[in-house]
Amino acid sequence: MASAGPSTQSASAPAAPTQVQAQPLVAQGDWTKNLVHLAKTAELKKHALTLQLHTAHILSAHSTLDQKNKTIQDLKEQKNKLESERVRLLKCLREVNEDRDKADILEAQITSECADLRTRIQQITDGEYALAKRDVDALRAELGQPPLPSLQATLEEKSQQYLQERRLGADAGAGAGFKRGADETGTGEHAQPVPGKRPRGRPKGSKNRVPSKSAAGTSASAPAAAS
């Protein structure tokens, strides 16, 4: 009985765990070189992306620069046109100013002449004309004739006569222009026939026209056949 106890205890005791040692990883081939290659490849991709981004920015800037240069060229052409137009307008303005100065000088000269003429007319009217008209009216009154019309009435009559002559001249010019236009369009007495339209009737000279040889032979053979 005493010997059975220890054997039972030894049979029921748990087994001791066995420790498994991990096997170390052994690199095969030149792994250092591969690692460096992978690192350089990743760095190359990074720099390539950066380069592509900068290239896109440069291309966009070049496109914008081309557009700006084209705009500058268009502006230069427009500026040249405007400068030419400015020079032309300045020349025209200078000519207009010169013509205006000439017109001002001529106006002042004519105004001075008109003032001199008015002064002379007034002097003659108040002096020699008044004395002469008074003598004439006195003599006409002695002869039983009516006095002469006043100077103002004479001037108004001359003005009316001048306006009447101008109106008649304008009417005559308008009538001559209308007649000339009618002759040109062919509605007057010397109207020309419309080209392309054949006149009616027998043509001129058809009665006295000499028949051709073929027609003469045909007419001569007809009586012979009849006989």
Side-chain angles (χ1 to χ4, degrees):
M1 295 296 292
S3 60
S7 61
T8 305
Q9 291 177 358
S10 61
S12 61
T18 59
Q19 295 181 358
V20 180
Q21 295 180 356
Q23 298 293 332
L25 295 175
V26 179
Q28 296 179 358
D30 194 356
W31 62 273
T32 305
K33 184 177 180 181
N34 293 334
L35 184 61
V36 171
H37 180 72
L38 291 175
K40 288 185 177 181
T41 302
E43 187 176 2
L44 176 62
K45 290 182 179 180
K46 177 182 177 182
H47 289 295
L49 291 175
T50 304
L51 181 62
Q52 290 180 359
L53 182 62
H54 292 322
T55 303
H57 289 166
I58 291 173
L59 292 176
S60 177
H62 269 289
S63 178
T64 305
L65 182 62
D66 292 339
Q67 293 179 359
K68 298 293 184 183
N69 288 331
K70 186 178 182 302
T71 304
I72 291 174
Q73 188 66 26
D74 294 340
L75 289 175
K76 286 182 178 180
E77 293 178 359
Q78 185 177 3
K79 185 178 178 181
N80 292 333
K81 292 180 181 179
L82 292 174
E83 184 65 23
S84 301
E85 187 68 15
R86 176 177 172 272
V87 172
R88 187 184 68 82
L89 291 176
L90 288 176
K91 182 179 178 181
C92 293
L93 181 60
R94 183 173 63 253
E95 293 176 355
V96 169
N97 289 332
E98 292 176 357
D99 294 340
R100 182 182 177 184
D101 294 338
K102 292 178 181 178
D104 291 339
I105 295 173
L106 185 60
E107 181 184 3
Q109 182 180 356
I110 295 176
T111 302
S112 177
E113 293 176 357
C114 290
D116 294 340
L117 289 174
R118 289 191 185 94
T119 303
R120 184 180 177 185
I121 290 171
Q122 190 65 33
Q123 290 176 356
I124 295 174
T125 302
D126 296 340
E128 299 174 357
Y129 176 80
L131 295 175
K133 188 175 186 304
R134 185 178 59 188
D135 295 339
V136 170
D137 288 342
L139 292 175
R140 289 175 67 89
E142 292 178 359
L143 296 174
Q145 297 179 2
L148 292 175
S150 63
L151 180 61
Q152 185 65 29
T154 304
L155 293 176
E156 291 179 356
E157 182 181 357
K158 291 292 184 181
S159 178
Q160 292 293 334
Q161 183 179 359
Y162 173 73
L163 294 177
Q164 183 70 18
E165 290 177 356
R166 287 194 61 182
R167 184 167 60 252
L168 292 176
D171 294 340
F178 176 76
K179 184 177 180 181
R180 183 171 60 254
D183 292 339
E184 291 177 356
T185 54
T187 56
E189 297 179 356
H190 304 286
Q192 298 294 331
V194 180
K197 187 175 181 181
R198 182 176 298 176
R200 295 182 179 179
R202 181 178 296 176
K204 293 183 179 180
S206 60
K207 295 182 179 180
N208 300 327
R209 183 178 299 173
V210 179
S212 60
K213 294 182 179 180
S214 59
T218 305
S219 60
S221 60
S227 61

